[in-house]
C-alpha cells in the first residue's frame, strides 16, 4: 500500500469542502507509554482551509482568538456535532473531532502557549 493510498482512506475531498467556514471543536487526549492520560486539550475554531496536502487549518476562537492550528488531513476523524454539544467556553460547533495521541503533548503550529 502506498502512502497516498493510505491518506485517501482518511480524506474525503467533498466533505472537506463542506468544512470551510464551519466551526470545529477539537478534543485531544494525550496518553503516556502506559496508556495513562497525561493531558487533555480542547480548542475551537473556524475552518479556513482544508486540503489533502496541507491539512485542515483552524482560525481559533475564544482564548486563542487570532491564532491558527493545523490538523492532519484526516476528514475521517470529523463528525457532525450532535445537538447540545458545546466547548468548555459554551461555543456551539458545527463539527467535532476527538483524537487520542500517544506521546507527550507539544505546542504546535503558531500558538504562543499551550492550549
Amino acid at each position: 500500500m502506498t502512502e497516498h493510498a493510505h491518506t485517501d482512506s482518511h480524506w474525503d475531498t467533498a466533505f472537506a469542502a463542506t468544512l470551510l467556514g464551519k466551526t470545529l471543536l477539537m478534543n485531544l487526549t494525550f496518553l503516556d507509554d502506559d496508556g495513562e492520560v497525561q493531558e487533555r486539550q480542547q480548542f475551537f475554531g473556524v475552518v479556513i482551509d482544508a486540503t489533502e496536502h496541507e491539512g485542515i487549518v483552524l482560525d481559533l476562537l475564544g482564548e486563542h482568538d487570532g491564532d491558527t492550528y493545523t490538523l492532519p488531513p484526516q476528514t475521517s476523524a470529523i463528525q457532525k456535532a450532535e445537538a447540545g454539544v458545546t466547548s468548555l467556553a459554551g461555543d456551539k460547533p458545527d463539527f467535532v473531532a476527538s483524537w487520542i495521541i500517544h506521546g507527550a503533548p507539544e505546542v504546535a503550529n503558531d500558538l504562543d502557549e499551550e492550549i
Side-chain angles (χ1 to χ4, degrees):
M1 177 184 276
T2 66
E3 181 178 328
H4 184 69
H6 174 73
T7 301
D8 287 347
S9 68
H10 293 287
W11 186 257
D12 181 331
T13 302
F15 180 63
T18 69
L19 296 174
L20 295 175
K22 303 293 185 188
T23 54
L24 176 69
L25 173 64
M26 276 301 307
N27 297 297
L28 303 178
T29 302
F30 293 90
L31 304 178
D32 64 15
D33 292 339
D34 296 323
E36 298 294 321
V37 174
Q38 286 188 301
E39 185 175 329
R40 294 181 196 272
Q41 298 178 1
Q42 183 183 79
F43 52 94
F44 178 79
V46 176
V47 178
I48 58 173
D49 195 18
T51 66
E52 185 175 7
H53 300 290
E54 299 297 323
I56 299 163
V57 182
L58 299 178
D59 180 10
L60 299 180
L61 301 170
E63 181 181 345
H64 298 287
D65 190 22
D67 290 334
T68 60
Y69 193 90
T70 303
L71 304 169
Q74 291 190 347
T75 56
S76 62
I78 300 171
Q79 300 176 8
K80 185 147 183 72
E82 294 181 15
V85 170
T86 62
S87 71
L88 293 174
D91 299 305
K92 295 180 178 153
D94 297 306
F95 295 93
V96 296
S98 297
W99 291 31
I100 297 174
I101 301 161
H102 298 268
E106 296 180 14
V107 177
N109 302 300
D110 62 351
L111 293 178
D112 293 328
E113 55 189 271
E114 287 190 40
I115 295 174

